[in-house]
Amino acid sequence: MSQKREELEHRLKLRNIKPGDYEDIREIMMSIYQDKGMAWTRQELKNQLKAFPEGQICIEDNGKVVAAAFSLIVDYTQFGDNHTYDQITGYGKFDTHDPEGDTLYGTDVFVHQEYRGMRLGRRLYDSRKELCENLNLRSIIAGGRIPGYANYAEEMTPRKYIDLVKNREVFDPVLSFQLANEFHVRKVITKYLPEDKDSRAYATLLEWINIYYEKDEKLIGNKKSIVRLGLVQWKMRRFSNVDDLMQQVEFFVDTISGYKSDFCLLPEFFNAPLLAEFNDMDASEAIRNLADYTDEIVSRMSDLAVSYNVNIIAGSMPEYDGKKLRNVSYLCRRDGTHGKQYKLHITPDEASYWGLQGGNGIHVFETDAGRVGILICYDVEFPELGRILAEQDMDILFVPFWTDTKNAFLRVNTCAKSRAIENECYVAITGSVGNLPKVENMDIQYSQAAIYSPSDFSFPHDSIVAQASENAETTIVADVDLDLLTKQRKAGSVRNLEQRRLDLYSIQWKQKK
């Protein structure tokens, strides 16, 4: 390689600023702010580095600083929104820096004019965000110049100008860049930099919210980020009584718990083998006799959840709600409490054979491993329900199902994956396999348990976190990252929840009178 070519090569390095970088930094500031008297003195730089060395970041190329970003930590309540640059920076001395503060305040970002177009500013902004997250600060706030406003000051107010920049009708060299870096405008402030004639002394108060901020971190008992899901693909087999059934349930709960899972999901009507005891009865009478076992099974499930330290989604079972027979799924938490979700949409067969009726409410359940929802089988085929749960900040949707044929399974499966993508959540589904020759309406089974995710770079390319073999009794155990959901909702390449046109449409839950 020739010496000339070596001289032309960039060798970019992101690092913290050192006192010896002053001349490089001053050169950049003078070229940018030459008419504004905004270049710092050597002493001011020393003061800034002494106050908060971690917050002063630069990019060097072949040993020369070509871009830099400066920041400090403040208790933002001490300043409020109507501050000036001099007030919040202590006239450039950074003696307002408060290590116990909650906000990273960005004071300056600048790039050498010869390095424009290389997106170095974006690198600096990303490093600031990383710093904010690592320090567990609430947000980044900055006062942003609007130098392009000078060309429009006689025609419109600053607010109108900012709206045009937001809508990309007008380009502003500072504000357009900040909006592209996920900052939003909180308000317009005046006299922020009185010497900034291009901005007419106006500025935008900008904020980037740290979605990972934890106000009160605890040493133990924090909300989990990595959650382990255990799914049971259950084989239908004859059981002579509830004890036999629960022995098999306990085997799988023990297995799932042995992998330190946070949840164990069972299929819809996993207790259907007990129907064989009532095979001489009419189907509607048999299912009502099966409902008599539900209280006992729920009680024993709750005991298993506590003793094996795992939250159990107990598939579904028939249950009387007053004088109405419904299909219910119980969430048995490992702290001893429980909740339940009725199936809302009853299939034609369930209605005609058994006389089941749909429930009237839908819930998101708080657990020690995230906010979860439950949709039983057919319910997942109604996208409105998943969206209502997503609007209540659901992290994981559990879908216990029972399907007899492959086409029935594919309806549930396809819709479950769609719910994961459109609602930016995880969806776990499982059903039963095998057959029950002497149980009417439950004779054959088809299942392929799976865990689905949103479809973006942070997740599997096909949205499949894990998937079981078809029609085999087995389990799935897999981890899901709840922090990735937060990241997806705020910074994904598409943001289905955030970008809904709520000015045009919405989903309304009608409370039963």
PDB file of all heavy atoms in Angstrom, residues 176-193:
ATOM      1  N   SER A 176     -33.825  19.239  11.892  1.00  0.00           N
ATOM      2  CA  SER A 176     -34.117  18.053  11.079  1.00  0.00           C
ATOM      3  C   SER A 176     -33.267  16.871  11.529  1.00  0.00           C
ATOM      4  O   SER A 176     -33.739  15.731  11.603  1.00  0.00           O
ATOM      5  CB  SER A 176     -33.875  18.345   9.599  1.00  0.00           C
ATOM      6  OG  SER A 176     -34.786  19.318   9.112  1.00  0.00           O
ATOM      7  N   PHE A 177     -31.998  17.149  11.844  1.00  0.00           N
ATOM      8  CA  PHE A 177     -31.098  16.101  12.310  1.00  0.00           C
ATOM      9  C   PHE A 177     -31.547  15.553  13.665  1.00  0.00           C
ATOM     10  O   PHE A 177     -31.553  14.345  13.899  1.00  0.00           O
ATOM     11  CB  PHE A 177     -29.681  16.667  12.405  1.00  0.00           C
ATOM     12  CG  PHE A 177     -28.702  15.762  13.087  1.00  0.00           C
ATOM     13  CD1 PHE A 177     -28.182  14.656  12.435  1.00  0.00           C
ATOM     14  CD2 PHE A 177     -28.292  16.018  14.379  1.00  0.00           C
ATOM     15  CE1 PHE A 177     -27.283  13.816  13.065  1.00  0.00           C
ATOM     16  CE2 PHE A 177     -27.397  15.191  15.021  1.00  0.00           C
ATOM     17  CZ  PHE A 177     -26.886  14.087  14.359  1.00  0.00           C
ATOM     18  N   GLN A 178     -31.968  16.441  14.559  1.00  0.00           N
ATOM     19  CA  GLN A 178     -32.364  16.002  15.892  1.00  0.00           C
ATOM     20  C   GLN A 178     -33.654  15.178  15.854  1.00  0.00           C
ATOM     21  O   GLN A 178     -33.782  14.175  16.552  1.00  0.00           O
ATOM     22  CB  GLN A 178     -32.527  17.224  16.809  1.00  0.00           C
ATOM     23  CG  GLN A 178     -31.182  17.878  17.114  1.00  0.00           C
ATOM     24  CD  GLN A 178     -31.320  19.278  17.676  1.00  0.00           C
ATOM     25  OE1 GLN A 178     -32.248  20.012  17.317  1.00  0.00           O
ATOM     26  NE2 GLN A 178     -30.399  19.660  18.546  1.00  0.00           N
ATOM     27  N   LEU A 179     -34.589  15.579  15.028  1.00  0.00           N
ATOM     28  CA  LEU A 179     -35.823  14.805  14.892  1.00  0.00           C
ATOM     29  C   LEU A 179     -35.539  13.426  14.312  1.00  0.00           C
ATOM     30  O   LEU A 179     -36.161  12.433  14.703  1.00  0.00           O
ATOM     31  CB  LEU A 179     -36.818  15.559  14.004  1.00  0.00           C
ATOM     32  CG  LEU A 179     -37.365  16.875  14.567  1.00  0.00           C
ATOM     33  CD1 LEU A 179     -38.232  17.569  13.528  1.00  0.00           C
ATOM     34  CD2 LEU A 179     -38.166  16.634  15.847  1.00  0.00           C
ATOM     35  N   ALA A 180     -34.598  13.363  13.367  1.00  0.00           N
ATOM     36  CA  ALA A 180     -34.240  12.073  12.768  1.00  0.00           C
ATOM     37  C   ALA A 180     -33.571  11.147  13.773  1.00  0.00           C
ATOM     38  O   ALA A 180     -33.516   9.934  13.565  1.00  0.00           O
ATOM     39  CB  ALA A 180     -33.321  12.292  11.564  1.00  0.00           C
ATOM     40  N   ASN A 181     -33.071  11.715  14.872  1.00  0.00           N
ATOM     41  CA  ASN A 181     -32.416  10.931  15.908  1.00  0.00           C
ATOM     42  C   ASN A 181     -33.325  10.683  17.108  1.00  0.00           C
ATOM     43  O   ASN A 181     -32.857  10.513  18.230  1.00  0.00           O
ATOM     44  CB  ASN A 181     -31.119  11.609  16.350  1.00  0.00           C
ATOM     45  CG  ASN A 181     -29.976  11.322  15.407  1.00  0.00           C
ATOM     46  OD1 ASN A 181     -29.302  10.314  15.526  1.00  0.00           O
ATOM     47  ND2 ASN A 181     -29.773  12.207  14.446  1.00  0.00           N
ATOM     48  N   GLU A 182     -34.631  10.681  16.860  1.00  0.00           N
ATOM     49  CA  GLU A 182     -35.651  10.246  17.816  1.00  0.00           C
ATOM     50  C   GLU A 182     -35.862  11.217  18.972  1.00  0.00           C
ATOM     51  O   GLU A 182     -36.388  10.827  20.019  1.00  0.00           O
ATOM     52  CB  GLU A 182     -35.320   8.846  18.357  1.00  0.00           C
ATOM     53  CG  GLU A 182     -35.234   7.797  17.268  1.00  0.00           C
ATOM     54  CD  GLU A 182     -34.736   6.462  17.780  1.00  0.00           C
ATOM     55  OE1 GLU A 182     -33.998   6.449  18.786  1.00  0.00           O
ATOM     56  OE2 GLU A 182     -35.087   5.435  17.174  1.00  0.00           O
ATOM     57  N   PHE A 183     -35.489  12.478  18.788  1.00  0.00           N
ATOM     58  CA  PHE A 183     -35.834  13.493  19.761  1.00  0.00           C
ATOM     59  C   PHE A 183     -37.184  14.092  19.393  1.00  0.00           C
ATOM     60  O   PHE A 183     -37.527  14.182  18.209  1.00  0.00           O
ATOM     61  CB  PHE A 183     -34.773  14.595  19.797  1.00  0.00           C
ATOM     62  CG  PHE A 183     -33.550  14.235  20.602  1.00  0.00           C
ATOM     63  CD1 PHE A 183     -32.621  13.337  20.100  1.00  0.00           C
ATOM     64  CD2 PHE A 183     -33.342  14.780  21.856  1.00  0.00           C
ATOM     65  CE1 PHE A 183     -31.494  12.993  20.835  1.00  0.00           C
ATOM     66  CE2 PHE A 183     -32.213  14.450  22.602  1.00  0.00           C
ATOM     67  CZ  PHE A 183     -31.292  13.553  22.088  1.00  0.00           C
ATOM     68  N   HIS A 184     -37.954  14.503  20.385  1.00  0.00           N
ATOM     69  CA  HIS A 184     -39.209  15.189  20.106  1.00  0.00           C
ATOM     70  C   HIS A 184     -39.176  16.563  20.765  1.00  0.00           C
ATOM     71  O   HIS A 184     -38.488  16.785  21.771  1.00  0.00           O
ATOM     72  CB  HIS A 184     -40.408  14.384  20.601  1.00  0.00           C
ATOM     73  CG  HIS A 184     -40.531  14.302  22.100  1.00  0.00           C
ATOM     74  ND1 HIS A 184     -39.909  13.331  22.849  1.00  0.00           N
ATOM     75  CD2 HIS A 184     -41.205  15.083  22.987  1.00  0.00           C
ATOM     76  CE1 HIS A 184     -40.181  13.506  24.126  1.00  0.00           C
ATOM     77  NE2 HIS A 184     -40.970  14.558  24.240  1.00  0.00           N
ATOM     78  N   VAL A 185     -39.918  17.482  20.195  1.00  0.00           N
ATOM     79  CA  VAL A 185     -39.926  18.864  20.677  1.00  0.00           C
ATOM     80  C   VAL A 185     -40.931  18.998  21.812  1.00  0.00           C
ATOM     81  O   VAL A 185     -42.131  18.741  21.629  1.00  0.00           O
ATOM     82  CB  VAL A 185     -40.278  19.840  19.536  1.00  0.00           C
ATOM     83  CG1 VAL A 185     -40.311  21.264  20.073  1.00  0.00           C
ATOM     84  CG2 VAL A 185     -39.276  19.717  18.400  1.00  0.00           C
ATOM     85  N   ARG A 186     -40.449  19.374  22.973  1.00  0.00           N
ATOM     86  CA  ARG A 186     -41.342  19.598  24.115  1.00  0.00           C
ATOM     87  C   ARG A 186     -42.000  20.965  24.044  1.00  0.00           C
ATOM     88  O   ARG A 186     -43.181  21.107  24.320  1.00  0.00           O
ATOM     89  CB  ARG A 186     -40.564  19.488  25.430  1.00  0.00           C
ATOM     90  CG  ARG A 186     -40.285  18.059  25.852  1.00  0.00           C
ATOM     91  CD  ARG A 186     -39.463  17.967  27.109  1.00  0.00           C
ATOM     92  NE  ARG A 186     -40.002  18.706  28.241  1.00  0.00           N
ATOM     93  CZ  ARG A 186     -39.867  18.318  29.508  1.00  0.00           C
ATOM     94  NH1 ARG A 186     -39.242  17.177  29.776  1.00  0.00           N
ATOM     95  NH2 ARG A 186     -40.356  19.040  30.493  1.00  0.00           N
ATOM     96  N   LYS A 187     -41.213  21.981  23.671  1.00  0.00           N
ATOM     97  CA  LYS A 187     -41.763  23.334  23.575  1.00  0.00           C
ATOM     98  C   LYS A 187     -40.747  24.242  22.898  1.00  0.00           C
ATOM     99  O   LYS A 187     -39.606  23.848  22.632  1.00  0.00           O
ATOM    100  CB  LYS A 187     -42.114  23.877  24.955  1.00  0.00           C
ATOM    101  CG  LYS A 187     -40.921  24.069  25.882  1.00  0.00           C
ATOM    102  CD  LYS A 187     -41.331  24.754  27.197  1.00  0.00           C
ATOM    103  CE  LYS A 187     -41.807  26.164  26.958  1.00  0.00           C
ATOM    104  NZ  LYS A 187     -42.143  26.877  28.201  1.00  0.00           N
ATOM    105  N   VAL A 188     -41.156  25.475  22.626  1.00  0.00           N
ATOM    106  CA  VAL A 188     -40.255  26.502  22.104  1.00  0.00           C
ATOM    107  C   VAL A 188     -39.862  27.394  23.268  1.00  0.00           C
ATOM    108  O   VAL A 188     -40.709  27.807  24.072  1.00  0.00           O
ATOM    109  CB  VAL A 188     -40.958  27.340  21.018  1.00  0.00           C
ATOM    110  CG1 VAL A 188     -40.025  28.438  20.510  1.00  0.00           C
ATOM    111  CG2 VAL A 188     -41.409  26.459  19.868  1.00  0.00           C
ATOM    112  N   ILE A 189     -38.558  27.664  23.390  1.00  0.00           N
ATOM    113  CA  ILE A 189     -38.095  28.562  24.448  1.00  0.00           C
ATOM    114  C   ILE A 189     -37.437  29.788  23.825  1.00  0.00           C
ATOM    115  O   ILE A 189     -36.893  29.736  22.724  1.00  0.00           O
ATOM    116  CB  ILE A 189     -37.115  27.857  25.416  1.00  0.00           C
ATOM    117  CG1 ILE A 189     -36.017  27.109  24.657  1.00  0.00           C
ATOM    118  CG2 ILE A 189     -37.866  26.879  26.292  1.00  0.00           C
ATOM    119  CD1 ILE A 189     -35.039  26.385  25.572  1.00  0.00           C
ATOM    120  N   THR A 190     -37.500  30.904  24.528  1.00  0.00           N
ATOM    121  CA  THR A 190     -36.974  32.172  24.013  1.00  0.00           C
ATOM    122  C   THR A 190     -35.734  32.593  24.793  1.00  0.00           C
ATOM    123  O   THR A 190     -35.534  32.190  25.944  1.00  0.00           O
ATOM    124  CB  THR A 190     -38.030  33.285  24.125  1.00  0.00           C
ATOM    125  OG1 THR A 190     -38.399  33.438  25.514  1.00  0.00           O
ATOM    126  CG2 THR A 190     -39.271  32.927  23.322  1.00  0.00           C
ATOM    127  N   LYS A 191     -34.896  33.355  24.124  1.00  0.00           N
ATOM    128  CA  LYS A 191     -33.669  33.909  24.716  1.00  0.00           C
ATOM    129  C   LYS A 191     -32.733  32.814  25.223  1.00  0.00           C
ATOM    130  O   LYS A 191     -31.965  33.032  26.173  1.00  0.00           O
ATOM    131  CB  LYS A 191     -34.008  34.882  25.851  1.00  0.00           C
ATOM    132  CG  LYS A 191     -34.849  36.070  25.392  1.00  0.00           C
ATOM    133  CD  LYS A 191     -35.165  37.017  26.539  1.00  0.00           C
ATOM    134  CE  LYS A 191     -36.020  38.181  26.062  1.00  0.00           C
ATOM    135  NZ  LYS A 191     -36.388  39.104  27.161  1.00  0.00           N
ATOM    136  N   TYR A 192     -32.809  31.657  24.582  1.00  0.00           N
ATOM    137  CA  TYR A 192     -31.947  30.553  24.997  1.00  0.00           C
ATOM    138  C   TYR A 192     -30.485  30.894  24.717  1.00  0.00           C
ATOM    139  O   TYR A 192     -29.618  30.722  25.573  1.00  0.00           O
ATOM    140  CB  TYR A 192     -32.356  29.277  24.248  1.00  0.00           C
ATOM    141  CG  TYR A 192     -31.555  28.055  24.632  1.00  0.00           C
ATOM    142  CD1 TYR A 192     -31.718  27.463  25.875  1.00  0.00           C
ATOM    143  CD2 TYR A 192     -30.630  27.491  23.743  1.00  0.00           C
ATOM    144  CE1 TYR A 192     -30.984  26.336  26.232  1.00  0.00           C
ATOM    145  CE2 TYR A 192     -29.894  26.365  24.095  1.00  0.00           C
ATOM    146  CZ  TYR A 192     -30.073  25.800  25.341  1.00  0.00           C
ATOM    147  OH  TYR A 192     -29.342  24.693  25.700  1.00  0.00           O
ATOM    148  N   LEU A 193     -30.212  31.364  23.501  1.00  0.00           N
ATOM    149  CA  LEU A 193     -28.899  31.886  23.126  1.00  0.00           C
ATOM    150  C   LEU A 193     -29.125  33.260  22.499  1.00  0.00           C
ATOM    151  O   LEU A 193     -29.340  33.371  21.289  1.00  0.00           O
ATOM    152  CB  LEU A 193     -28.217  30.951  22.126  1.00  0.00           C
ATOM    153  CG  LEU A 193     -27.612  29.656  22.666  1.00  0.00           C
ATOM    154  CD1 LEU A 193     -27.233  28.735  21.519  1.00  0.00           C
ATOM    155  CD2 LEU A 193     -26.383  29.949  23.522  1.00  0.00           C
TER     156      LEU A 193
END
